[in-house]
Amino acid sequence: MTEHTDIDRLLETWFDDGPTAMPDRVVTVVADRIGRQGQRHTWLLDRRPKVNLFLKLAVAAALGAAVLGGAIFIAGRQTQTPTPTPIPAPSSSPGASAAAAGSPVDDALRATWKAFAGENPVLQTGAGPVSLQFNPLGTGIEATNFGPGHGYASTANETGADRIEVVLDRSGGGCTAGARGVYRALLSDDRSELTLISESEDCSNRGIVLGRAWARSLADSSLVGAGVVDAIAPAFKVALPDDSYETRTLPDFVEIGGTNGSLMVFKNPQPFVDACSTDEERVPWQPGAAAFIDAFRANDAFEVSESTPLTISGHDAVHVQIGGKADYARCPGQELYEYTPKNCECHFVVGQGYADSMYLVDIDGDTFMFIISPLGTPESERPIVESIEIPYEIPSR
């Protein structure tokens, strides 16, 4: 896409200021694309160091076109997970001696975990979704959404095979700082689920919070590719190759981006009428994968491969490749407006001459689209596709 010096200056200023969230004034997000050798699909990223690698996302919104006069790409800064090394807790921490006695927890545990907790009269909390997080250094653990005082932020360390020790950082939730607990940490075969079993616990309330089954959340950073996404309803589970993943979400859209590949998931994708137009008029919504594919067959800016019926997680599905025609005459050199989730004020584009490998699944009146990148073959993509479980039920107790 065309470079704009005024846009470059704006980006320089924005990045140099160091924010990690997109300002409200930004209206449009578009990514400059680069082709990777041997693939027809495009990867998009900002050409600056230390940014997340995300696929062709373009978010439309409201800053003034008079200010930007074009499209810009805003990316978050990439957070690198440090190489695991034993890190002693500060001497002032109640957990200092415990942290020194073991090692940081295994990389596979360093993630956000989700569960559904039932009503609990001891904690005086109602039923609802809850989370557990091991910090990126593997030295701390904390729960969220169990109610005030029940996060139990603790120093964590690995004391043996499948065993972790936790030491409460500060008093609260009916427990005293320094309270110790030892848990067995059991991962499922694909490491998408974690079960914490209390072996000893000075803080009984923390035992109620931690001691349960959890599902790895791919909505947050993870070094393991098997987990669950609940940013779209219904939640789904998928197993990607292990990598360092970070995730971006929009309404009815999630992108799980790694250093070697990415998965984008759309709920109810809706094509645009004109691939060259910036008015972003959408094709009237019709449910079902067949209607989505037919809309692209009727659009002379795109090429559609033969669709292949299949079953995904017990649901009717279809695999198809849809791409922008090379050197499309009506807007040569321009990235083509392709589609958007029906409930999202955003748009996605594809480069001319590039294609997507799309797996469309019809579920109870909704259509989910899974796009695997870089573009592979049905054989190479099959393990990921066969791992999809939708809907997925978050562990509950």
Side-chain angles (χ1 to χ4, degrees), residues 14-15 19-22 29-34 36 42-57 73-81 218-222 243-249 253 255-262:
W14 191 77
F15 276 106
T20 58
M22 186 169 60
V29 175
V30 159
D32 186 18
R33 61 179 173 83
I34 61 172
R36 286 202 172 188
T42 52
W43 284 80
L44 298 181
L45 72 165
D46 180 66
R47 302 183 191 277
R48 298 180 60 88
K50 298 175 68 176
V51 297
N52 293 329
L53 183 64
F54 284 106
L55 291 172
K56 43 182 199 154
L57 170 63
F73 174 66
I74 304 297
R77 300 181 186 273
Q78 187 172 15
T79 300
Q80 301 291 339
T81 302
L218 293 182
D220 291 308
S221 301
S222 175
D243 200 348
S244 179
Y245 288 104
E246 295 189 14
T247 298
R248 170 173 296 186
T249 60
F253 165 80
E255 178 182 22
I256 306 165
T259 57
N260 298 308
S262 192

Side-chain angles (χ1 to χ4, degrees), residues 202-365:
D202 295 341
C203 171
S204 60
N205 285 352
R206 181 175 58 187
I208 295 172
V209 168
L210 302 187
R212 65 185 66 240
W214 302 88
R216 180 187 306 277
S217 172
L218 293 182
D220 291 308
S221 301
S222 175
L223 297 174
V224 173
V228 61
V229 174
D230 60 358
I232 301 177
F236 66 89
K237 178 183 171 184
V238 66
L240 302 172
D242 284 354
D243 200 348
S244 179
Y245 288 104
E246 295 189 14
T247 298
R248 170 173 296 186
T249 60
L250 291 168
D252 287 342
F253 165 80
V254 64
E255 178 182 22
I256 306 165
T259 57
N260 298 308
S262 192
L263 175 71
M264 296 198 298
V265 185
F266 302 78
K267 181 179 179 180
N268 294 327
Q270 187 175 12
F272 289 111
V273 172
D274 187 352
C276 298
S277 173
T278 58
D279 63 15
E280 300 175 20
E281 180 186 355
R282 306 180 187 193
V283 173
W285 167 250
Q286 295 184 57
F292 177 81
I293 295 171
D294 286 345
F296 282 100
R297 287 200 172 107
N299 191 320
D300 67 352
F302 296 94
E303 294 179 330
V304 181
S305 72
E306 189 66 29
S307 57
T308 304
L310 67 158
T311 301
I312 294 178
S313 192
H315 305 283
D316 290 336
V318 62
H319 176 230
V320 65
Q321 287 187 11
I322 299 176
K325 288 183 178 177
D327 302 320
Y328 183 56
R330 286 206 305 110
C331 47
Q334 175 185 313
E335 289 179 320
L336 303 174
Y337 289 88
E338 197 170 14
Y339 46 71
T340 176
K342 182 167 66 76
N343 291 329
C344 184
E345 292 300 320
C346 56
H347 65 263
F348 293 78
V349 298
V350 66
Q352 295 190 28
Y354 290 83
D356 289 314
S357 179
M358 302 174 175
Y359 292 84
L360 295 135
V361 191
D362 289 329
I363 303 171
D364 297 331

Side-chain angles (χ1 to χ4, degrees), residues 93-177:
S93 168
S97 59
S103 301
V105 301
D106 189 86
D107 283 359
L109 298 182
R110 302 181 196 185
T112 297
W113 302 85
K114 297 292 185 76
F116 189 91
E119 183 178 355
N120 190 287
V122 176
L123 302 182
Q124 297 183 340
T125 57
V130 292
S131 299
L132 179 73
Q133 185 175 45
F134 287 90
N135 69 27
L137 296 179
T139 57
I141 184 174
E142 184 171 9
T144 56
N145 213 37
F146 279 91
H150 296 305
Y152 301 105
S154 303
T155 299
N157 67 108
E158 188 173 302
T159 59
D162 299 331
R163 276 174 174 77
I164 61 171
E165 183 180 44
V166 296
V167 181
L168 192 63
D169 291 340
R170 60 185 62 86
S171 298
C175 299
T176 303

Side-chain angles (χ1 to χ4, degrees), residues 188-193 216 218 224-229 236-243 245 256 262-263 370 372 380-390 392:
S188 60
D189 289 342
D190 66 358
R191 297 178 293 170
S192 67
E193 294 186 0
R216 180 187 306 277
L218 293 182
V224 173
V228 61
V229 174
F236 66 89
K237 178 183 171 184
V238 66
L240 302 172
D242 284 354
D243 200 348
Y245 288 104
I256 306 165
S262 192
L263 175 71
F370 296 81
I372 299 169
S380 66
E381 295 169 352
R382 183 172 297 128
I384 295 174
V385 174
E386 291 180 348
S387 76
I388 295 170
E389 182 180 339
I390 185 170
Y392 171 81

